[in-house]
Amino acid sequence: MPKQKFALAVDLGATNIRVAVVNADGKILAHERAATPHEGKSSRVVVDRIIEMAKRVLEKNKTYGKIAGVGIASCGPLDYKKGGANPANLPFDFIPLIEPLKQAFHVPTVLHNDANAAALGEWRFGVGRGKQNIVYVTLSTGIGAGVIVDGHVLFGATGNAAEVGHMTVDTTYNFPCGCGRGVGHWEGYCSGKNMPKFFEHWKKRENKKIDFSARTTKHIFAAAKQKNPVALEFLDVIHRMNARAISNILVAYDPELITIGGSVAHHNGAVILAGIKKYTEHYLKVPPLHITKLGEDIALLGATAAILK
Ligand SMILES: [Zn+2]
């Protein structure tokens, strides 16, 4: 029998499910990916797919012996009391996760939202190693964060201690947020999904004529790369908002470093970091800012870290 310990790591996203066997060094030894079901008689189809995938991955890797546990990183919001997810971007009310996976594999099973899991991944396997206070920010379809403070994950009364995407970063445009609960929220301006909508609003308000497509966030960054003056001016507004949010994060959590992931950051890392550095307030000393090097595996690695302590 191998002496090494292995975890089964699950990353449940709105688009894809990934399941992997991972060792204590964060090495992904076997891995499967499938589309997240968006229809079915009940939400049970989601966890049934996870179980099927997990069984196949484990079958292929019998030599690894018994897994130490199942770590799950899931898109949120989560219901930690009931042990499952109420995902905003999936057509199911509640997806049970903990109980069905415990029944299938008879090992300890742990659930974290994907941003908390990513923070754990960076802390254990990335630039956060050896630190006690780090913040992971995801700039993706949405915006969120996971926070490690004084050597533990900051959780909050309902597990939503770092919903930083819904911090107010603007009182000029008062643009409504997709959450439906307010205006001026960071995610409403700077997320991959919302940036083009805010661009439309900004363009009309500022009376800008454009000669490029701003249909997607990618198009806007591409125009800025070509030194398009309107795109550059718009991104400067985005940079100020990103920096306002990072300034808030600094004074709230006093981290030793901030690490940023998510598709918007991965594709435009240098521009995003430069923009944040340009406008972040120096009330506290600004710690090192990084774009994570763990890429799309970060949540799987965090799910592993939750099991293999
Ligand atoms: Zn919001």
Side-chain angles (χ1 to χ4, degrees):
M1 286 294 284
K3 278 183 195 141
Q4 237 188 334
K5 277 197 163 184
F6 304 93
L8 185 75
V10 177
D11 179 4
L12 170 59
T15 313
N16 287 305
I17 298 170
R18 298 177 71 208
V19 174
V21 177
V22 189
N23 73 10
D25 298 324
K27 186 157 190 240
I28 294 176
L29 302 162
H31 163 255
E32 276 215 14
R33 180 196 297 266
T36 307
H38 278 243
E39 50 192 28
K41 270 192 211 135
S42 81
S43 61
R44 181 73 207 199
V45 294
V46 178
V47 71
D48 284 346
R49 180 157 303 171
I50 293 171
I51 292 168
E52 275 164 38
M53 292 167 73
K55 284 186 173 162
R56 271 200 305 273
V57 169
L58 292 172
E59 184 64 26
K60 273 191 249 163
N61 297 280
K62 274 183 179 159
T63 50
Y64 301 138
K66 193 167 155 52
I67 48 167
V70 180
I72 312 160
S74 173
C75 54
L78 302 187
D79 185 330
Y80 287 98
K81 278 201 183 118
K82 284 160 70 185
N86 297 305
N89 298 313
L90 283 174
F92 301 111
D93 290 339
F94 174 75
I95 301 174
L97 292 166
I98 295 274
E99 275 312 312
L101 284 161
K102 262 191 189 164
Q103 278 169 21
F105 299 106
H106 311 287
V107 287
T109 302
V110 177
L111 173 65
H112 278 288
N113 77 38
D114 40 18
N116 279 354
L120 277 173
E122 193 75 276
W123 188 27
R124 171 73 179 271
F125 299 113
V127 288
R129 257 175 303 191
K131 309 279 190 234
Q132 294 296 302
N133 299 278
I134 73 166
V135 176
Y136 169 82
V137 173
T138 176
L139 296 180
S140 188
T141 312
I143 294 180
V147 178
I148 310 286
V149 172
D150 299 338
H152 64 84
V153 180
L154 193 67
F155 206 72
T158 60
N160 297 301
E163 284 287 353
V164 298
H166 305 280
M167 280 179 176
T168 302
V169 294
D170 165 67
T171 52
T172 302
Y173 300 97
N174 294 313
F175 198 58
C177 181
C179 68
R181 305 286 170 90
V183 298
H185 295 183
W186 187 14
E187 181 172 297
Y189 301 83
C190 301
S191 70
K193 187 176 169 188
N194 292 329
M195 202 185 290
K197 293 181 201 167
F198 173 54
F199 181 84
E200 265 309 298
H201 176 85
W202 174 84
K203 187 185 78 175
K204 280 190 192 129
R205 190 191 142 114
E206 305 289 336
N207 213 357
K208 301 288 178 190
K209 297 272 174 289
I210 60 165
D211 53 4
F212 63 93
S213 164
R215 199 165 47 81
T216 67
T217 298
K218 200 175 160 185
H219 285 98
I220 297 169
F221 277 96
K225 204 174 177 185
Q226 301 298 319
K227 305 250 183 301
N228 181 287
V230 178
L232 286 170
E233 194 181 337
F234 174 73
L235 279 192
D236 207 59
V237 175
I238 293 293
H239 293 330
R240 284 173 192 273
M241 291 185 187
N242 281 337
R244 234 165 256 157
I246 295 294
S247 303
N248 291 344
I249 286 170
L250 289 182
V251 291
Y253 306 123
D254 191 13
E256 292 161 75
L257 62 87
I258 294 179
T259 170
I260 307 173
S263 54
V264 177
H266 284 301
H267 292 124
N268 311 287
V271 175
I272 296 274
L273 283 184
I276 290 171
K277 283 176 185 162
K278 187 172 170 191
Y279 293 117
T280 295
E281 287 165 11
H282 290 62
Y283 177 77
L284 295 180
K285 187 168 174 280
V286 179
L289 305 171
H290 301 268
I291 301 293
T292 183
K293 291 197 171 75
L294 300 180
E296 68 162 1
D297 293 334
I298 193 165
L300 279 180
L301 294 174
T304 303
I307 295 296
L308 302 178
K309 297 205 171 84

